[in-house]
């Protein structure tokens, strides 16, 4: 039986269980029956909550974004005009927390991201859920003086996503960088993007 996060509803329990199954068994292991069994719910509970497989996947995407927001805390990014090293420190802190304490969320995210490449209707839902992480970075880059905030935000996201994949499923899975190392990497990236002609 899946451990229920205190204070969660049945809908959240079902979505949390779906994420746990995705991380543990992959997309093939996610079924309505498997969620019922793993969550300790009466048979048919998941079907009552999410009638179709797409509905179950959309619930998982929504819950994935909610839980990642608690880990990556986009709302806690420094305010506009903050020192770039403070921004680097905040990004490093959030990323290190994700890499060390929430690696199962990274695996379930990759399962959902790959499935979204095959289901256009899920892709739209996935992209909408991800905007809560992208938009604050664009605003932060604009406030920092970037002349190309969308491009620079993409650079930050790509750097972070690359580290996440490498440390969760790639060749660095056993060598997670320390928080100071991540801070140095983000600082170098931010100063490099915003210090010269390329920032305009």
């Amino acid at each position: 039986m899946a451990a229920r996060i205190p204070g969660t509803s049945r809908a959240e329990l079902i979505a949390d269980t779906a994420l746990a199954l995705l991380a543990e068994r992959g997309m093939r292991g996610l079924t309505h029956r498997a969620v019922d069994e793993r969550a300790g719910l009466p048979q048919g509970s998941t079907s009552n909550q999410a009638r179709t497989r797409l509905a179950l996947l959309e619930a998982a995407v929504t819950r994935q974004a909610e839980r990642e927001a608690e880990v990556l805390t986009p709302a806690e990014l420094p305010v506009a005009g903050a020192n770039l090293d403070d921004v680097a420190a905040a990004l490093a802190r959030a990323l290190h927390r994700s890499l060390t304490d929430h690696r199962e969320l990274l695996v379930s995210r990759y399962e959902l991201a790959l499935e979204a490449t095959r289901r256009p209707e899920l892709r739209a839902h996935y992209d909408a859920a991800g905007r809560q992480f992208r938009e604050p970075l664009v605003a932060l880059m604009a406030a920092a003086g970037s002349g190309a905030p969308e491009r620079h935000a993409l650079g930050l996201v790509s750097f972070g996503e690359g580290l996440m994949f490498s440390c969760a499923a790639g060749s660095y899975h056993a060598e997670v960088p320390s928080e100071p190392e991540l801070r140095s990497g983000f600082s170098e990236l931010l100063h490099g993007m915003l210090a010269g002609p390329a920032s305009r």
Side-chain angles (χ1 to χ4, degrees):
M1 182 183 298
R4 189 168 188 168
I5 299 174
T8 57
S9 65
R10 175 173 285 204
E12 289 169 331
L13 172 62
I14 287 170
D16 284 333
T17 304
L19 294 178
L21 287 169
L22 285 170
E24 180 184 313
R25 303 178 188 175
M27 195 57 65
R28 290 184 179 180
L30 178 63
T31 66
H32 287 73
R33 179 185 293 273
V35 173
D36 286 341
E37 292 174 353
R38 179 72 176 269
L41 294 172
Q43 186 174 339
S45 296
T46 300
S47 292
N48 287 337
Q49 185 68 44
R51 290 284 180 189
T52 65
R53 182 167 179 82
L54 176 61
L56 181 58
L57 289 169
E58 288 179 344
V61 167
T62 298
R63 186 61 172 157
Q64 176 85 28
E66 290 170 353
R67 289 182 56 188
E68 286 191 336
E70 294 173 357
V71 176
L72 298 173
T73 57
E76 294 179 8
L77 281 171
V79 296
N83 181 287
L84 289 182
D85 290 329
D86 290 338
V87 176
L91 293 171
R93 185 165 52 251
L95 182 57
H96 190 260
R97 188 163 52 234
S98 178
L99 293 175
T100 54
D101 297 330
H102 302 277
R103 296 178 82 168
E104 75 287 348
L105 274 179
L106 295 175
V107 177
S108 60
R109 183 214 289 206
Y110 298 135
E111 290 287 344
L112 290 167
L114 287 171
E115 188 67 9
T117 66
R118 307 177 189 104
R119 289 176 173 257
E121 62 275 34
L122 184 62
R123 167 55 61 194
H125 194 74
Y126 184 96
D127 290 349
R131 277 196 284 273
Q132 67 174 310
F133 303 101
R134 173 180 168 179
E135 290 174 354
L137 290 177
V138 173
L140 192 65
M141 291 296 94
S146 169
E150 287 276 359
R151 178 166 56 81
H152 287 148
L154 174 60
L156 281 176
V157 170
S158 299
F159 180 72
E161 290 275 10
L163 282 166
M164 286 176 174
F165 182 84
S166 294
C167 295
S171 58
Y172 281 83
H173 68 93
E175 303 172 58
V176 175
S178 67
E179 188 175 327
E181 289 172 328
L182 292 172
R183 186 168 59 247
S184 294
F186 275 116
S187 182
E188 290 164 355
L189 181 62
L190 285 164
H191 283 283
M193 288 192 301
L194 298 174
S199 68
R200 294 192 285 272

